[in-house]
Structure formats: structure tokens, C-alpha cells
Amino acid sequence: MAISTAVWSFALVVGLLTLTPGLDTALILRTSMLGHAHRAWGVVLGVQSGILLWGAFTSLGVTALLTASHLAYECLRWAGAAYLVWLGLRMIRDTFRADHGSRVPDAAAASESADSLLGGVRQGALTNLLNPKVGAFYVAVLPQFIPPGTHQLPMGLLLTLVHIVLGLLWSLVLIGCARLLHQWLRTRRAQRLLDRVTGTVITALGLRLAVSH
């Protein structure tokens, strides 16, 4: 397999994966719809940083050790599930706090405090790195697209960068579409509904990860 063929073939596979709705899409859309542009891009950068690390670990063979170890995989799976359930339930809980709180914070101040680039990076990176299925995907797929005779680490990183570029382009589309919907989400009621829906989805994904094998 030529390098160019490997790159285009891998781009097709991860392109389809990128377009498939999932946790990353839900987080990016939710954050963007609330008008938190900096935090939304932070989530994007965090997710792509996680993908870069998974690609590097796979190229070095570290992720293969993780998937080969049942105990290590289970520990990471339960940590990821616990984080997702905590994240989702916290979103839902905060909407009820806002309902029954004695004082609702000023919208501009709340937006400014929540619109944190670093906060988004941390959230996106944790969500991606605590998902063992991403590592399992890279272990199963990435080596198949590394042509024989090429250096594994540089080629693996090249393919990973293809995934990252596609992810950034798709995130640009998601954030742009979400910004158009922001006008309909200015009310507190609409924002609570969005957080409850997103929190329910994330909690369900966490529970699914917990019971999956």
C-alpha cells in the first residue's frame, strides 16, 4: 500500500466516524448553543488533543498494552463511565438549582465565567482520554493503514493528523450551525431544556459505557 493510498483510505474511515453523532458532537453543540464560543473551541481543542495522544500511544505500542490488559481496560472504562455520569447529572442538577435558587446570576456575568477556553480544553480532553473505545478503535484500525517498510511513529502521527484536521473542519461546521440557533436559546427556559437534554444524553452514554464489554 502506497502512503498516499493509506492516507486517503484512512481519511475515508475516520471521516465517516467524525460525522457519526456522539459525545463530542453533543458537547460541542451544547456549549456553542449557549453562546460560549471560547469554551466550545476549548472542547474542540481538548478532544483533538486526546486524539493526538491516542494516535501517538498507538504508534508507540502503548495502547496495545492497555487493550491487552483486562484490568487496565476495565479501570479506564469505569473511570470514563463515572466521569460521564457525573458530568451529565451535574448538568441536570444545575438546571434545577437555577429554578429554585433565590437569585439568578446576571446572564452576562454567568456567560463570561462559563466561557473559558481552558475549561473547555480540560472537559474535551478528559472526555476523550477517559473513553477506552477511542483507544480500542486506534489499536484495531491505525496499524492497518501503516504501509510495510514505513516508520511506524511518523506514519501513525501523519494519519492521526488527518483525523484531527477532519475533526476541526467538522467542528467548525457544528459551531457555525449552533451559533445560528443561539438566537432561539436566549431565554433561561430554553437553556435549561438544552442542558437537561444534553445531560440526559451524556448520562445515558456513561451508563452504556459502564455496562458494555
Side-chain angles (χ1 to χ4, degrees):
M1 181 189 300
I3 293 179
S4 59
T5 303
V7 170
W8 284 110
S9 301
F10 186 75
L12 176 62
V13 173
V14 294
L16 294 174
L17 177 67
T18 301
L19 294 176
T20 303
L23 176 61
D24 297 342
T25 301
L27 285 176
I28 294 169
L29 284 175
R30 177 258 178 187
T31 309
S32 302
M33 286 179 179
L34 292 179
H36 302 155
H38 292 91
R39 188 177 183 90
W41 278 110
V43 172
V44 173
L45 294 176
V47 169
Q48 302 311 320
S49 297
I51 290 175
L52 179 61
L53 288 176
W54 280 120
F57 288 159
T58 302
S59 301
L60 292 171
V62 176
T63 315
L65 296 177
L66 171 65
T67 55
S69 171
H70 179 73
L71 177 61
Y73 185 88
E74 286 297 299
C75 289
L76 184 59
R77 182 170 69 89
W78 281 105
Y83 173 72
L84 292 181
V85 171
W86 171 80
L87 182 64
L89 291 179
R90 190 183 66 169
M91 283 185 186
I92 298 173
R93 179 204 64 187
D94 288 347
T95 64
F96 289 101
R97 281 187 172 183
D99 282 341
H100 302 293
S102 59
R103 176 176 175 269
V104 177
D106 177 73
S111 175
E112 181 177 337
S113 62
D115 195 11
S116 166
L117 179 69
L118 291 178
V121 171
R122 181 173 60 251
Q123 186 181 54
L126 281 175
T127 301
N128 188 272
L129 291 174
L130 288 177
N131 187 354
K133 292 187 176 181
V134 180
F137 169 81
Y138 262 81
V139 168
V141 174
L142 189 66
Q144 300 181 39
F145 293 91
I146 298 180
T150 60
H151 293 287
Q152 188 165 338
L153 179 58
M155 187 64 196
L157 291 178
L158 174 61
L159 295 175
T160 304
L161 289 177
V162 171
H163 190 182
I164 291 174
V165 170
L166 292 176
L168 290 174
L169 292 175
W170 179 236
S171 298
L172 182 63
V173 173
L174 290 176
I175 292 175
C177 293
R179 292 294 295 171
L180 295 177
L181 296 175
H182 176 56
Q183 298 299 324
W184 286 276
L185 291 168
R186 288 182 178 275
T187 65
R188 188 67 181 169
R189 181 178 180 181
Q191 292 180 5
R192 287 197 299 265
L193 178 61
L194 176 63
D195 270 1
R196 287 172 186 173
V197 171
T198 307
T200 301
V201 170
I202 292 176
T203 302
L205 290 173
L207 293 174
R208 181 181 177 184
L209 179 61
V211 301
S212 65
H213 297 284

